[in-house]
Amino acid sequence: MSELLKVASTSNPKLVAGAIAAYMRTDDKVELTAIGAGAVNQAVKSIAIARGYVSPNGIDLIVIPAFSVIDIDGDERTAVKFIVEKR
Amino acid sequence: MSELLKVASTSNPKLVAGAIAAYMRTDDKVELTAIGAGAVNQAVKSIAIARGYVSPNGIDLIVIPAFSVIDIDGDERTAVKFIVEKR
């Protein structure tokens, strides 16, 4: 099972990074979804920061970016999905 | 040696994806740099599309996001660097 984090353009990258790091210390995988350039940017920053958080634990984070269709109030929106795993 | 691609907010993700795919069929690594949310978004889309382009070649692309300081006309700007590798 993998955890799912929704990232917004207003998300704080350090806080999201902390959540990613916490999950990755116990789980093998976490997924982030982001809709729009601002949210995608925050998600990427969060993952870059999280890499530094878990590196001392010997964890080397890698990302697989993918597209995902999400239903928002009946509207289909294309989100970017980031699958964060351990190398 | 790794190739370096600069991605802008105006870059066409399918064209960038084609360039990534071409490099990854012969090299082990390509680096993308992006400054600003629009450029980061295009870079992520490009990599997601490139995964599909090289998948039939048995290549599974993964990404390592990092920060990079770039000098633009004497101004230091923080860019996002995407290191694209094969799993």
Side-chain angles (χ1 to χ4, degrees):
Chain A
M1 214 197 77
S2 67
E3 299 293 338
L4 179 65
L5 292 172
K6 290 181 186 173
V7 181
S9 59
T10 52
S11 296
N12 180 327
K14 285 187 184 176
L15 292 183
V16 178
I20 295 170
Y23 285 134
M24 294 306 289
R25 287 194 187 102
T26 53
D27 293 329
D28 285 332
K29 191 171 163 178
V30 57
E31 289 188 15
L32 282 69
T33 55
I35 295 177
V40 166
N41 191 37
Q42 297 305 79
V44 169
K45 284 185 191 172
S46 302
I47 298 166
I49 295 168
R51 280 182 51 79
Y53 288 174
V54 300
S55 178
N57 300 100
I59 300 171
D60 186 9
L61 292 189
I62 59 106
V63 187
I64 296 167
F67 296 107
S68 171
V69 176
I70 289 183
D71 186 302
I72 297 180
D73 299 333
D75 278 341
E76 285 199 342
R77 296 284 301 275
T78 299
V80 173
K81 182 166 71 172
F82 298 86
I83 304 162
V84 180
E85 297 183 4
K86 296 169 187 173
R87 168 116 71 167
Chain B
M1 212 198 77
S2 67
E3 299 294 338
L4 179 65
L5 292 172
K6 291 181 187 175
V7 182
S9 60
T10 52
S11 296
N12 180 327
K14 285 187 184 177
L15 293 182
V16 178
I20 295 170
Y23 285 133
M24 294 306 289
R25 287 192 187 103
T26 53
D27 293 330
D28 286 332
K29 192 170 161 179
V30 55
E31 289 189 14
L32 283 67
T33 56
I35 295 178
V40 166
N41 191 37
Q42 297 307 78
V44 169
K45 284 185 191 173
S46 303
I47 298 165
I49 295 167
R51 281 182 50 78
Y53 287 174
V54 299
S55 178
N57 301 101
I59 300 171
D60 186 9
L61 293 189
I62 59 106
V63 187
I64 295 166
F67 296 107
S68 171
V69 176
I70 289 183
D71 186 301
I72 297 180
D73 300 332
D75 279 341
E76 285 199 344
R77 296 285 299 276
T78 299
V80 173
K81 182 166 71 173
F82 298 87
I83 305 163
V84 179
E85 297 184 3
K86 296 170 188 174
R87 169 117 70 166

